[in-house]
Amino acid sequence: MFKMMFRVLALMILAGSAFATPTFVFTAIPDQDETQLKQRFQKVADYLQQELQTEVRFIPVKSYAATITAFRNNQVQLAWFGGLSGVKARELVPGSRAVAQGVEDPEFKSYFIAHQSTGLSAADRLPQSIDGLTFTFGSKGSTSGRLMPEYHLREQFGQSPDELFKRVGFSGNHSRTIALVESGAYQLGALNYKVWDAAVEAGKVDTAKVKVIWETPTYPDYQWTLRGDLDAAYGEGFTDRVEQALLKMNDPELLSSFPRQGFIPASNSDFEPVRKVAKQIGLLD
Amino acid sequence: MSFTEAMLSSLSRWSGGVKTSIGFVLVAICCLFVADLEISSIDPWAEMWRLADGLFHPSLMQSSLVLEALLSTLAFAFAGVALAVVGGFLLALMFHNAFVRGFCALVRSIHELFWALIFLQFFGLHPLTGLLAIAIPYSGIFARMYAEMLAQVPMLPARTLPSGTGYLNTLLYTRLPLAWPHLVSYTSYRLECGIRSSAILGFVGLPTLGYYLESSFSQGYYSEVAALLMLFYLLIATKKIWLRRWTLPALFLGSPFFLGDGMPIVWGNAWRFISEDIIPAPLRNSEAGGQWESLSKLSQWTSDIMFNQALPGIWNTLVLSQIALVVTGLCALIMFPLISRYCYSLPGRMPGYVLLVIARSTPEYLLAYILLQLLGPSMLPAVIALAIHNGALIGYLSGRHSNELVLRSDLPKRRLDRYFYELLPRIYPSFLSFMLYRWEVIMRETAILGILGIHTLGFFVDSAIQEIRFDVALVLILTAALLNIAVDMFSRRIQRYI
Amino acid sequence: MSSLAIQDAYLTYGNHRVLGPVTLDVRAGEHLILLGKSGCGKSTLLNHLYTENRQDCALIPQDLGLVENLSVYHNVYMGRLQRYSALRNCLNFIYPAVARIAEVTPLLEQLGLDEKCFSAVAELSGGQQQRVAVARALYQAAPVLLADEPVSALDGPEADRVMALLGQYFATAVISLHDVDRALRYGQRIIAIQNGELVLDESAHRLTVSSLNEFY
């Protein structure tokens, strides 16, 4: 009885203390190395705090959907989204805007990789012989690990992945896609080209066993998205200040968190292609 | 007499328990024909080698974070179980009411992870999400078990009380103390389950051990995985040492302070979830168009979910869990002698204890993923993972039961004789009832094995949530819940038959 | 004036008819002893009397009905649960009230249990447990006692002391016994049961040990 009351009280205090200070909170999709997510983005939080003169906090989340939900629920006001997650989030939060993207992001691409036992090699198109193999995507909500690869598979073969392949899996993230294809658990996989390049560079991939067989045409991907109601909560001009702070971020150490060369302005219409593709595939109503 | 006749006549002589077991085995064998159990991996050894190397070189990168995670794992487990004990007890008192029974069956048939995913929409990353994700299903479980235990106490003490004693007084002075030892031992067992659940909630983003475990595992940082797992095993294995009567108040009172603060709750979100998100899409967007149009859209929407997701999901879930159940039983029967005092002396039992703690504390999800590397994607990794995890648990319970037996002192010399003639016949009935209880749990656990490319109900639920389609997710979660309730009712009917 | 009465009743135990038809009047102020072989229906009769007249009776069942993991004090206190509010009982459960302890202690002293007041009943011997059940009935102080073999686990002098106490605390009592000698000493009226019927109903002073032995 007393224990119960105590606990409820404690919870209320905890909840109350969080209400007391209007902290500016942001998050990022957990697209790579989640163990480092907090360290990586803490530096960005410190930078933003200094630039915006208000308390800034980074919250790590576990899935693309959780990122979207946190943004939609106004528990975070700024998020580093992928193409698809950004489109979904903006659809759910009227007034929210894509404000900045990485220099590389307008021309992002996915790699299709194959285990060496398939005998496939790099080509201009996906070969017809992938019919009947096993295939893994990354996360279900990923642009480069799910949406665009699925789109191109449908484009080239006129079939859904389930019909085309013997088995279709979702590894959960890009690094695991590499591991699963390298071990031959799946014969094929599709992933974010930057994660692949970084893994190859770090010597984490045995390129004798797994290699890139096709790269997709480019598409717009990651971006910073801001909620539309910030000025009311954080003061006039806050949205502009956040936008400026993001765009002028040039410290290589900060940029390596993403990793991007730098940031350039973005707008919602830049991601129209992604939205169309998502609608076509049925990932968006 | 022909062979078939001999078989048939012996069939009628077998006990209900044996017939039931044979029935389950036959169903599982039928399932084998339709199940996808192919081994398709090509060369798993490089990754396996990395894994083994990591497991033998455990290292903790950020010990302060891990300590925090350890504390919050315990905190969520204790606070969640404490709430569930209170809630479950109150519900147990009303368990004669059919509505309450139905409510409890419903809440406990939904997996903790699904509850967490639902509450993530409500509260976001707030301690309440994890707290309720444990407390709600556990309340349903406690309610049923507590009600059974309270119903099984001797009636006589309550009968001797003076007339007019009243319900509360009777409860406090007779039924409760009489059931107390059973209540305590069950609650303590559940607390261990709570720690496991709490750790696993990290997979969806709560700051418990599972968070770091999943992160490290998905990046292939196997040394960290090893260190985290070892910490977790240690925590479970030493439960008897730190979980004492005198530590309980401190643990329960302290737990709310280690839940972390998370993000403020925005109540509008909870309202939106109820009033918008879970309303079927065709009804939500139907300002224009007539009633008939939206109705036909709704039926289209429903049949889409039914035929493309729910039915295949139910089928795969059933096939997978029936096979897994029987393999679990075999595993348990093989493993329980390892910790039985009638099979091995105390030092000889130690490796068995360690093995069982490891096998039952390792989340199925990790086991399944490792096996996926080894065997390739099919139902096989899931079956083996479920069997190892649940088999160890039932093996542990059966072994503990066998240690409570008092057997004659001139036992057969050979272990195998002792096993088949003394132990197995005695523990088999309780083994069977553990299995029947576990049936529903195994079915619920197939939920989180969607990563293997097996399209169980859980796979479709996860997809719907990743696509932010909570209306679909809710329909599928309820489908899974109904399936579990059906299995639960069926298993209880079998239990009565035995 | 009759205190408890049964008119042409058939009594069953499970699905078996054990006794009947039975007609019995227990008059206020008399101590009635039931005699008969084990299984003849004494307990069934007592149970029936208890069920019909729970308001006025304290019961000492053969199996005692103690809550073994509670203390002697709490078990005895249960005799008066109906007199206090649920809250009072709740507090007393956690922290026994001094006034109630003062009430219970003299009873325990008379039964030789005073040192065991806060021991768990499970730790006591069979005879001690039986005396706890007696103490509970004494504490309840109901007008009528129904006791089923209340001294079966006690040795001679102890059994006599307990019988004397019961006689002293309860004006009216129905007690089953298997000791004929003791039945004659403490009972005013003896009833014997055989083959499902009440075969004897006599004042104790008209009976002798030998005349009763045929019922065993």
Side-chain angles (χ1 to χ4, degrees):
Chain A
M1 189 72 172
F2 284 111
K3 275 187 229 163
M4 262 297 294
M5 280 163 53
F6 209 74
R7 223 170 286 126
V8 170
L9 202 71
L11 270 176
M12 276 161 56
I13 294 167
L14 286 172
S17 66
F19 271 116
T21 45
T23 311
F24 182 65
V25 189
F26 74 104
T27 189
I29 51 168
D31 64 323
Q32 53 178 316
D33 206 347
E34 294 166 44
T35 57
Q36 298 299 317
L37 219 52
K38 209 163 180 172
Q39 283 82 337
R40 273 162 58 201
F41 281 99
Q42 193 51 49
K43 291 177 208 142
V44 180
D46 294 342
Y47 165 79
L48 287 175
Q49 178 152 341
Q50 200 188 346
E51 291 290 314
L52 302 172
Q53 298 296 314
T54 182
E55 205 182 326
V56 177
R57 187 170 162 200
F58 171 75
I59 285 286
V61 295
K62 263 293 181 203
S63 69
Y64 290 49
T67 319
I68 299 172
T69 302
F71 185 76
R72 182 188 188 199
N73 287 355
N74 201 9
Q75 292 186 314
V76 304
Q77 291 77 38
L78 168 71
W80 173 241
F81 280 124
L84 175 61
S85 42
V87 166
K88 270 194 210 160
R90 289 191 296 274
E91 199 113 306
L92 291 166
V93 182
S96 58
R97 291 190 303 120
V99 292
Q101 59 187 330
V103 173
E104 299 90 330
D105 287 312
E107 307 217 307
F108 216 79
K109 57 195 173 189
S110 302
Y111 284 158
F112 277 72
I113 57 173
H115 190 260
Q116 52 92 11
S117 68
T118 57
L120 300 172
S121 54
D124 293 345
R125 279 176 66 86
L126 285 168
Q128 197 61 43
S129 59
I130 64 170
D131 193 340
L133 299 183
T134 58
F135 176 86
T136 184
F137 289 115
S139 165
K140 286 173 183 167
S142 162
T143 310
S144 54
R146 162 83 191 274
L147 178 71
M148 296 317 289
E150 178 164 348
Y151 169 72
H152 287 291
L153 285 169
R154 283 173 188 267
E155 274 279 300
Q156 288 193 27
F157 297 92
Q159 284 174 304
S160 75
D162 280 328
E163 293 159 347
L164 178 65
F165 295 113
K166 188 169 142 210
R167 231 179 246 122
V168 176
F170 291 92
S171 68
N173 67 38
H174 303 300
S175 325
R176 256 191 292 194
T177 302
I178 301 178
L180 284 172
V181 178
E182 188 180 340
S183 76
Y186 286 97
Q187 291 164 300
L188 295 170
L191 78 161
N192 177 327
Y193 83 104
K194 272 189 166 287
V195 174
W196 170 266
D197 287 346
V200 170
E201 199 171 312
K204 285 185 189 163
V205 191
D206 184 348
T207 44
K209 284 190 177 142
V210 52
K211 58 184 169 204
V212 177
I213 57 161
W214 186 59
E215 55 178 78
T216 60
T218 60
Y219 51 85
D221 203 341
Y222 295 75
Q223 86 293 149
W224 284 108
T225 294
L226 264 177
R227 284 183 68 95
D229 49 7
L230 292 187
D231 287 5
Y234 295 87
E236 204 56 44
F238 189 79
T239 311
D240 290 338
R241 278 162 51 213
V242 177
E243 216 173 313
Q244 287 316 308
L246 291 172
L247 287 172
K248 72 176 196 200
M249 199 190 300
N250 54 13
D251 181 351
E253 204 195 331
L254 291 181
L255 290 171
S256 70
S257 305
F258 294 91
R260 295 292 182 271
Q261 302 283 338
F263 288 106
I264 54 173
S267 70
N268 290 4
S269 59
D270 291 343
F271 300 90
E272 195 54 24
V274 175
R275 203 181 71 84
K276 277 194 182 134
V277 168
K279 237 184 156 112
Q280 203 174 328
I281 291 180
L283 287 176
L284 212 60
D285 287 320
Chain B
M1 197 160 64
S2 76
F3 177 73
T4 9
E5 275 173 58
M7 278 298 289
L8 283 177
S9 78
S10 67
L11 191 67
S12 61
R13 271 185 279 119
W14 285 334
S15 71
V18 174
K19 276 188 224 164
T20 307
S21 316
I22 291 175
F24 272 103
V25 171
L26 287 179
V27 169
I29 289 173
C30 292
C31 287
L32 282 180
F33 288 105
V34 291
D36 168 16
L37 296 169
E38 190 188 352
I39 299 178
S40 60
S41 188
I42 300 163
D43 83 88
W45 303 113
E47 189 72 7
M48 282 300 112
W49 173 247
R50 252 172 273 171
L51 185 82
D53 186 54
L55 292 182
F56 285 107
H57 300 96
S59 80
L60 275 184
M61 207 172 48
Q62 306 140 338
S63 35
S64 66
L65 277 181
V66 169
L67 184 71
E68 227 171 88
L70 204 64
L71 284 176
S72 66
T73 303
L74 284 178
F76 275 107
F78 275 99
V81 171
L83 270 181
V85 166
V86 176
F89 185 75
L90 293 177
L91 286 168
L93 299 182
M94 298 181 277
F95 212 67
H96 48 86
N97 180 305
F99 178 77
V100 169
R101 274 204 306 280
F103 173 77
C104 291
L106 183 70
V107 298
R108 69 169 182 264
S109 65
I110 297 174
H111 196 279
E112 298 94 276
L113 276 178
F114 289 161
W115 279 115
L117 286 171
I118 291 173
F119 286 123
L120 272 174
Q121 310 310 321
F122 254 80
F123 307 121
L125 286 171
H126 188 273
L128 264 183
T129 297
L131 200 59
L132 294 179
I134 293 180
I136 289 182
Y138 276 51
S139 296
I141 298 170
F142 277 137
R144 172 181 165 189
M145 296 306 286
Y146 285 175
E148 273 177 25
M149 288 166 184
L150 286 173
Q152 279 163 2
V153 300
M155 298 301 294
L156 195 58
R159 192 170 147 78
T160 58
L161 294 181
S163 76
T165 295
Y167 179 78
L168 268 181
N169 291 331
T170 311
L171 181 72
L172 183 64
Y173 277 83
T174 61
R175 290 170 68 199
L176 195 54
L178 286 168
W180 190 251
H182 305 282
L183 297 177
V184 168
S185 101
Y186 184 76
T187 308
S188 136
Y189 160 71
R190 269 284 142 199
L191 202 54
E192 185 187 316
C193 302
I195 296 172
R196 260 200 307 270
S197 298
S198 157
I200 287 170
L201 287 182
F203 290 175
V204 295
L206 287 145
T208 61
L209 270 181
Y211 183 94
Y212 298 94
L213 201 56
E214 210 264 350
S215 301
S216 299
F217 195 79
S218 67
Q219 297 304 319
Y221 297 153
Y222 297 124
S223 311
E224 285 171 40
V225 173
L228 287 167
L229 279 178
M230 281 173 196
L231 261 180
F232 188 54
Y233 299 149
L234 208 67
L235 198 66
I236 300 268
T238 56
K239 190 184 83 171
K240 274 203 182 114
I241 299 169
W242 52 264
L243 189 61
R244 294 289 178 84
R245 193 181 287 242
W246 51 269
T247 57
L248 268 182
L251 288 169
F252 279 123
L253 284 176
S255 58
F257 298 100
F258 292 96
L259 294 175
D261 49 0
M263 305 303 301
I265 297 174
V266 182
W267 290 104
N269 295 327
W271 173 242
R272 187 201 59 212
F273 183 75
I274 297 168
S275 66
E276 268 177 52
D277 290 0
I278 60 172
I279 307 292
L283 295 184
R284 213 185 312 149
N285 311 325
S286 68
E287 313 93 28
Q291 214 173 2
W292 282 114
E293 196 183 340
S294 70
L295 258 184
S296 79
K297 269 190 190 158
L298 181 66
S299 75
Q300 178 66 31
W301 181 83
T302 316
S303 72
D304 267 357
I305 297 177
M306 271 298 133
F307 290 108
N308 298 331
Q309 307 187 32
L311 289 178
I314 290 174
W315 175 251
N316 286 318
T317 305
L318 280 174
V319 167
L320 175 54
S321 54
Q322 285 322 107
I323 300 175
L325 182 70
V326 170
V327 185
T328 296
L330 289 177
C331 273
L333 289 179
I334 292 169
M335 288 200 258
F336 92 82
L338 297 179
I339 60 158
S340 173
R341 67 188 169 111
Y342 290 109
C343 294
Y344 297 96
S345 61
L346 184 61
R349 290 203 298 276
M350 277 303 141
Y353 275 116
V354 172
L355 177 77
L356 288 186
V357 164
I358 289 180
R360 75 172 195 266
S361 317
T362 312
E364 306 90 313
Y365 172 78
L366 292 191
L367 281 175
Y369 184 77
I370 294 168
L371 291 162
L372 171 66
Q373 297 273 0
L374 269 175
L375 307 168
S378 70
M379 283 189 182
L380 199 58
V383 168
I384 301 177
L386 285 168
I388 292 178
H389 173 81
N390 292 296
L393 193 74
I394 293 178
Y396 164 73
L397 293 173
S398 302
R400 212 172 58 170
H401 179 217
S402 84
N403 289 340
E404 284 161 10
L405 295 175
V406 181
L407 301 183
R408 63 196 164 98
S409 48
D410 56 337
L411 283 173
K413 276 251 165 345
R414 270 184 306 185
R415 265 192 207 120
L416 215 57
D417 294 342
R418 253 179 278 166
Y419 179 77
F420 280 111
Y421 285 86
E422 298 288 338
L423 289 178
L424 194 55
R426 288 194 169 84
I427 67 128
Y428 202 77
S430 67
F431 159 80
L432 211 56
S433 78
F434 292 141
M435 288 294 294
L436 286 170
Y437 272 113
R438 209 67 199 164
W439 190 8
E440 181 210 8
V441 180
I442 288 177
M443 196 154 272
R444 244 182 302 158
E445 285 174 349
T446 57
I448 52 171
L449 299 176
I451 47 151
L452 307 175
I454 317 158
H455 293 186
T456 59
L457 278 171
F459 172 85
F460 293 111
V461 172
D462 179 55
S463 297
I465 286 175
Q466 294 304 321
E467 291 164 19
I468 321 278
R469 287 176 173 147
F470 300 115
D471 46 352
V472 180
L474 195 75
V475 170
L476 292 169
I477 287 177
L478 287 177
T479 310
L482 290 178
L483 184 65
N484 283 327
I485 291 173
V487 162
D488 188 35
M489 276 160 62
F490 189 54
S491 103
R492 247 185 293 178
R493 181 159 286 193
I494 296 176
Q495 207 138 22
R496 271 200 298 272
Y497 160 73
I498 298 169
Chain C
M1 186 200 94
S2 120
S3 175
L4 313 174
I6 307 177
Q7 196 68 47
D8 287 328
Y10 291 93
L11 308 185
T12 55
Y13 180 79
N15 291 326
H16 288 279
R17 179 191 291 181
V18 181
L19 277 180
V22 181
T23 301
L24 177 68
D25 260 328
V26 181
R27 288 175 286 275
E30 81 179 349
H31 290 164
L32 194 154
I33 306 285
L34 298 175
L35 287 175
K37 287 181 184 137
S38 63
C40 72
K42 289 174 293 188
S43 304
T44 308
L45 180 57
L46 281 168
N47 267 323
H48 180 80
L49 286 170
Y50 184 64
T51 311
E52 299 290 305
N53 307 282
R54 216 174 148 173
Q55 232 73 344
D56 309 317
C57 298
L59 177 72
I60 306 177
Q62 204 164 15
D63 295 327
L64 308 180
L66 297 171
V67 180
E68 298 198 349
N69 43 1
L70 288 187
S71 70
V72 169
Y73 165 78
H74 282 110
N75 271 280
V76 175
Y77 177 83
M78 279 183 226
R80 288 192 186 170
L81 277 177
Q82 89 286 17
R83 299 196 189 183
Y84 304 103
S85 70
L87 184 65
R88 283 277 284 281
N89 288 335
C90 202
L91 291 176
N92 181 67
F93 188 82
I94 299 159
Y95 189 80
V98 178
R100 302 289 93 72
I101 299 174
E103 288 169 5
V104 169
T105 316
L107 288 175
L108 294 181
E109 271 168 12
Q110 283 176 296
L111 289 160
L113 286 170
D114 44 328
E115 282 174 14
K116 301 284 181 191
C117 187
F118 291 102
S119 308
V121 167
E123 294 163 14
L124 304 186
S125 71
Q128 288 171 323
Q129 291 188 359
Q130 196 163 40
R131 280 177 279 154
V132 177
V134 168
R136 181 186 61 207
L138 296 182
Y139 189 61
Q140 186 176 342
V144 180
L145 170 73
L146 300 174
D148 196 353
E149 306 273 8
V151 294
S152 58
L154 304 179
D155 62 23
E158 233 179 353
D160 286 329
R161 207 165 58 233
V162 168
M163 284 305 289
L165 267 177
L166 288 175
Q168 176 191 330
Y169 272 77
F170 290 97
T172 313
V174 181
I175 302 173
S176 80
L177 287 176
H178 60 263
D179 183 329
V180 173
D181 181 47
R182 189 165 289 124
L184 288 177
R185 264 185 288 143
Y186 294 98
Q188 288 146 15
R189 179 177 165 199
I190 310 282
I191 285 182
I193 305 176
Q194 205 169 39
N195 301 327
E197 282 174 73
L198 309 190
V199 290
L200 175 96
D201 185 348
E202 206 54 81
S203 283
H205 63 261
R206 295 201 205 142
L207 296 166
T208 61
V209 173
S210 53
S211 67
L212 283 173
N213 270 342
E214 66 170 297
F215 301 109
Y216 280 95

